[in-house]
Every structure is written in C-alpha cells, then in structure tokens.
C-alpha cells in the first residue's frame, strides 16, 4: 500500500476520538428517548453520532480496514434510520448486502429522489446481486432528469457516477475491461484532484485538520464498489489500474483493502477497541 504521509498514531487517536464522541451522543440520544413517548427518527444527537462514526470510519480505512468496514456499516444503519440518503454511500463502503438490499424500496417509493440518492443508487444497483435489470431504466431516467449536478462533499458531477455504473454493467454483460478501467480511472482522477488540492495546505493537512478527509467516504464507497466488480468479473484487483497519482493510488488501495476486509477478511473488531 502507498506509504501514508500521516503519523499513524495520530490517525488512531483521531479515529478513537471520533468514536468516543459518537458513543457520547448515542448515550445522550438514548437518554432523550427514555423521556419521550414517541421516538423521533432524527435528533441532533443522532445526527452528530452518525457523523462521528463516519469520520472515524474514514480514518480507520487508512490503517485498519476491518474497523472501517464495521464503522461504515454502523453509519449506514444510523443514517438510514434518520431517512438520510447518505446511508447508500456507506452501505457501498462497507459492502453491506443487507443495507444495499433496502435500496430498491427507497428509490421506488421516492417520487423525486435527491441527486445524491440517484448517484449512489446507480452504483449500488450494479454491485447488488438481486434484480438489477428491473431497476436499470428507472434509475437512468432519474439520472437524466436530475442533470449533471455536483454530488456530496467532493462535488463530483452526477455523470461520473452514472458512467461508472454503466461501465460496471458493461463489465458484467460484455466483459468490457477497457471501458470499465477508463471510467473507473476518470472517477478516481477526479476524486484525487480534490484531495490533492486540499493537501496543498500542509499545515492543516498533516495535522488532520483539513476540511477534506484523506479518504473521503464517498470516494471510498466508489473505489470499494469498483474493487467488488473487478474481482467478480475480471478476477483482478482494482490496484491494477495505471496512471494514478499518489492520491488516486491511495484511494484505489483503500477500496481494495475495504473489499477484502468485507468479503473475505477475518472476524471484525468491535467499535471502540483501539
């Protein structure tokens, strides 16, 4: 794996700090619920807990993919319970089949899904093992109606997600490895460009204080999904991609390790164990 430019002990401390913050907010939210007759789907404490779990997962993905898979899976469940579409990205990052299986009902029951929902549902549909053909036309219709709008914190346009999804489909149906690698490379280059730009502020970057995470969850979600398809169709690690800069190489290697931890790795450690 590409040498990480951060102090590994600092990464661990920051990940544990965010886990502790999540657990504190979960406890406060449970205390609030005991005082209410009706449990609300969303609360400030629930939102802060979910956000902290995901940030911890991002840092764990740099040094401990098994813990990252666990945390992303927990985050997916938390965001889904709150009705926030971000859960789809986290389900992809954790290769969580149980969570991904909920995608069809969410899309089909939402008359006008958000652009973020469309982006990750397109990818999720190609990674998920069940009935992907029945949803293909609906999702592509949503894509065309939504337009090429920026998605998430990285602001990567929706067309990149749609083209990646179509390349995944072509990989399965036509064994078209050239198209798959080309679209995968386009996405990774775009994500790496944003991370590289953030890294120019060396003072905050090296201290893990940048507004952009070294392993942004949405980029991890896509590289993990690409790794799943690459293994299933071509029996090839996604790290075989060429012409990547160091930031793109890191994202691809994280996706590969996340896939390995989720699909064939040993039993995962519990969240909160350093």
């Amino acid at each position: 794996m590409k040498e990480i430019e951060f102090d590994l002990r600092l990464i661990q401390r920051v990940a544990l700090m965010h886990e502790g913050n999540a657990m504190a907010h979960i406890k406060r939210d449970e205390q609030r619920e005991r005082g209410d007759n009706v449990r609300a789907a969303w609360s400030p404490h629930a939102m802060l807990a979910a956000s902290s779990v995901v940030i911890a997962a991002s840092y764990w993905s740099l040094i401990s993919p098994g813990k990252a898979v666990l945390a992303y899976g927990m985050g997916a469940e938390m965001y889904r319970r709150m009705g926030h579409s971000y859960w789809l990205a986290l389900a992809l990052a954790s290769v969580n089949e149980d969570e991904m299986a909920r995608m069809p009902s969410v899309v089909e029951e939402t008359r006008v899904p958000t652009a973020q929902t469309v982006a990750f549902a397109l990818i999720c549909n190609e990674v998920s093992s069940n009935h992907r053909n029945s949803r293909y036309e609906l999702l592509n219709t949503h894509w065309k109606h939504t337009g090429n709008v920026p998605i998430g914190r990285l602001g990567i346009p929706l067309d990149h997600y749609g083209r990646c999804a179509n390349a995944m489909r072509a990989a399965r149906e036509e064994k078209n490895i050239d198209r798959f690698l080309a679209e995968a490379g386009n996405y990774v280059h775009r994500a790496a460009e944003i991370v590289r730009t953030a890294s120019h502020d060396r003072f905050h970057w090296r201290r893990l204080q940048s507004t952009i995470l070294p392993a942004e969850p949405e980029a991890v979600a896509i590289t993990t999904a690409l790794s799943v398809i690459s293994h299933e169709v071509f029996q090839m690690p996604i790290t075989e991609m060429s012409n990547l800069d160091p930031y793109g190489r890191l994202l691809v290697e994280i996706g590969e390790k996340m896939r390995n931890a989720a699909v064939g790795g040993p039993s995962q450690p519990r969240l909160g164990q350093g």
Side-chain angles (χ1 to χ4, degrees):
M1 185 170 181
K2 175 191 176 297
E3 183 178 353
I4 296 174
E5 59 179 320
F6 307 102
D7 184 328
L8 301 186
R9 293 170 298 178
L10 175 61
I11 294 173
Q12 183 182 45
R13 287 200 301 272
V14 173
L16 289 172
M17 178 189 71
H18 283 286
E19 282 187 2
N21 189 52
M23 297 309 169
H25 283 292
I26 288 172
K27 185 175 181 180
R28 290 290 300 273
D29 197 50
E30 289 172 346
Q31 292 171 344
R32 176 193 61 81
E33 287 176 8
R34 285 197 291 270
D36 296 341
N37 293 325
V38 180
R39 178 180 179 179
W42 184 95
S43 75
H45 285 300
M47 189 72 235
L48 288 168
S51 177
S52 293
V53 164
V54 172
I55 295 172
S58 172
Y59 286 120
W60 283 131
S61 72
L62 294 168
I63 57 174
S64 180
K67 289 184 179 181
V69 166
L70 180 70
Y72 274 130
M74 182 178 178
E77 182 181 356
M78 295 168 77
Y79 272 96
R80 178 179 51 76
R81 286 203 308 262
M82 290 186 290
H84 196 298
S85 64
Y86 198 47
W87 73 270
L88 275 169
L90 307 180
L92 283 167
S94 57
V95 198
N96 191 318
E97 285 282 356
D98 291 338
E99 288 295 327
M100 285 192 284
R102 302 175 190 271
M103 182 272 291
S105 60
V106 171
V107 173
E108 291 161 8
E109 293 169 8
T110 306
R111 196 168 64 123
V112 184
T114 66
Q116 182 168 262
T117 298
V118 173
F120 292 108
L122 282 161
I123 302 295
C124 185
N125 189 53
E126 301 306 325
V127 175
S128 181
S129 57
N130 296 318
H131 309 296
R132 64 177 64 91
N133 290 330
S134 64
R135 298 185 295 271
Y136 176 73
E137 292 298 335
L138 174 62
L139 288 170
N140 272 268
T141 298
H142 284 314
W143 170 20
K144 300 307 179 186
H145 285 176
T146 302
N148 192 27
V149 298
I151 303 298
R153 282 166 50 86
L154 293 177
I156 296 175
L158 177 56
D159 282 2
H160 281 273
Y161 294 87
R163 289 199 299 266
C164 270
N166 284 341
M168 290 176 176
R169 176 166 291 266
R172 291 188 187 277
E173 295 179 349
E174 307 165 14
K175 301 298 185 288
N176 191 331
I177 191 170
D178 291 335
R179 179 178 177 185
F180 174 75
L181 290 176
E183 292 300 348
N186 286 339
Y187 180 90
V188 174
H189 283 304
R190 189 65 180 263
E193 178 184 15
I194 298 163
V195 177
R196 183 173 61 253
T197 300
S199 75
H200 292 165
D201 179 358
R202 303 304 292 174
F203 179 85
H204 292 98
W205 182 253
R206 293 296 298 274
R207 290 165 175 77
L208 300 179
Q209 296 173 347
S210 173
T211 56
I212 295 294
L213 297 169
E216 278 290 339
E218 59 202 75
V220 173
I222 301 305
T223 57
T224 303
L226 290 168
S227 178
V228 169
I229 298 297
S230 188
H231 278 273
E232 286 185 4
V233 179
F234 305 115
Q235 294 76 53
M236 180 188 77
I238 196 66
T239 49
E240 292 296 314
M241 289 175 60
S242 59
N243 300 321
L244 296 176
D245 73 2
Y247 297 100
R249 177 62 54 192
L250 179 61
L251 292 175
V252 164
E253 290 176 348
I254 289 172
E256 183 72 10
K257 288 182 177 291
M258 290 289 290
R259 176 264 172 198
N260 293 344
V263 174
S267 59
Q268 308 301 340
R270 293 180 60 189
L271 193 64
Q273 293 181 334

